[in-house]
Amino acid sequence: GAVVSQHPSRVICKSGTSVKIECRSLDFQATTMFWYRQFPKKSLMLMATSNEGSKATYEQGVEKDKFLINHASLTLSTLTVTSAHPEDSSFYICSARDGGSGGLETQYFGPGTRLLVL
Amino acid sequence: GQNIDQPTEMTATEGAIVQINCTYQTSGFNGLFWYQQHAGEAPTFLSYNVLDGLEEKGRFSSFLSRSKGYSYLLLKELQMKDSASYLCAVMDSNYQLIWGAGTKLIIKP
């Protein structure tokens, strides 16, 4: 099946620094990528949807200047948490929709990135 | 508004059968998904239903009734490794996934 990778898998940073998370589709072209955030024992919360070559669409309540998303190619999207604070500590998961052979329902998840801001 | 309801937690015994229910109210419907998520890991795909009826895949089966806005995930011959959260998600008219809060399944020996 299709594979989506995320890097890093785990990051610890100081408050005020910026952290970049990469999401890559390894064997398919991802026309659309999604970024989710998950708090402990809670469901996934969609943060934004990004389409290759265009600006990301952010969900209500998600600060676009805080969470910068770039989807520069069909295989790579990045999420940058700018000036991270302890409340940004969370599990961040990306997923990618296969724009090729898969249907619109075909969405593959990355393994997630656990961010801890001290 | 859009809403997905599923029980918060369920407990079952190894070797038994468990049914996890999911009810939904969404703007449009383009299919219902079940995902399994182990603690600290990303969700993994289990099943997709877009037509009414039962889809069987090994020990796991998923049922859908669109008229009732209802689905269930049936797990047979439970194993300890099935202890996880099970997420119900519905794809709405915009092809966006609407997620339930997940059901934590605890398997006891």
Side-chain angles (χ1 to χ4, degrees):
Chain A
V3 177
V4 174
S5 71
Q6 264 184 259
H7 177 81
S9 59
R10 185 184 297 266
V11 59
I12 302 173
C13 68
K14 292 182 179 180
S15 185
T17 60
S18 293
V19 175
K20 180 186 282 190
I21 303 170
E22 292 187 350
C23 178
R24 293 181 185 273
S25 57
L26 298 184
D27 54 1
F28 66 97
Q29 294 186 329
T31 52
T32 305
M33 285 187 172
F34 304 89
W35 286 96
Y36 292 89
R37 182 174 181 178
Q38 188 176 34
F39 292 101
K41 299 182 181 181
K42 299 292 183 183
S43 189
L44 301 172
M45 182 191 80
L46 180 64
M47 298 174 66
T49 302
S50 74
N51 293 296
E52 185 265 337
S54 63
K55 290 183 178 180
T57 302
Y58 289 81
E59 296 299 302
Q60 193 172 5
V62 179
E63 300 174 58
K64 60 178 69 175
D65 295 329
K66 172 77 172 176
F67 299 99
L68 300 177
I69 291 172
N70 183 281
H71 192 164
S73 77
L74 285 171
T75 59
L76 173 65
S77 176
T78 60
L79 167 68
T80 301
V81 183
T82 61
S83 187
H85 291 283
E87 58 266 28
D88 299 324
S89 298
S90 191
F91 191 46
Y92 292 88
I93 307 171
C94 74
S95 71
R97 179 177 286 163
D98 187 344
S101 58
L104 284 170
E105 73 278 3
T106 309
Q107 200 174 128
Y108 304 96
F109 283 88
T113 297
R114 189 161 300 281
L115 171 64
L116 177 61
V117 184
L118 302 176
Chain B
Q2 309 206 91
N3 197 45
I4 311 284
D5 285 317
Q6 51 181 129
T8 304
E9 188 174 297
M10 298 182 71
T11 302
T13 306
E14 189 178 14
I17 300 173
V18 71
Q19 177 175 311
I20 303 174
N21 296 323
C22 171
T23 58
Y24 63 89
Q25 288 179 307
T26 57
S27 55
F29 180 84
N30 279 300
L32 185 143
F33 297 77
W34 283 96
Y35 285 85
Q36 179 190 63
Q37 186 178 26
H38 286 100
E41 298 179 10
T44 56
F45 171 82
L46 289 178
S47 67
Y48 170 67
N49 294 68
V50 68
L51 299 176
D52 289 349
L54 186 69
E55 295 276 346
E56 296 186 77
K57 191 184 294 184
R59 294 189 299 115
F60 293 5
S61 302
S62 57
F63 172 83
L64 174 68
S65 169
R66 288 172 296 172
S67 62
K68 295 181 180 178
Y70 167 71
S71 172
Y72 66 73
L73 179 70
L74 191 71
L75 293 77
K76 303 176 184 176
E77 300 170 17
L78 286 170
Q79 301 175 8
M80 297 304 292
K81 67 178 182 179
D82 297 330
S83 292
S85 286
Y86 291 85
L87 306 175
C88 173
V90 172
M91 185 166 280
D92 68 9
S93 56
N94 294 317
Y95 295 94
Q96 301 281 31
L97 280 176
I98 311 300
W99 293 87
T103 298
K104 182 178 180 181
L105 178 62
I106 300 168
I107 310 295
K108 294 185 175 180

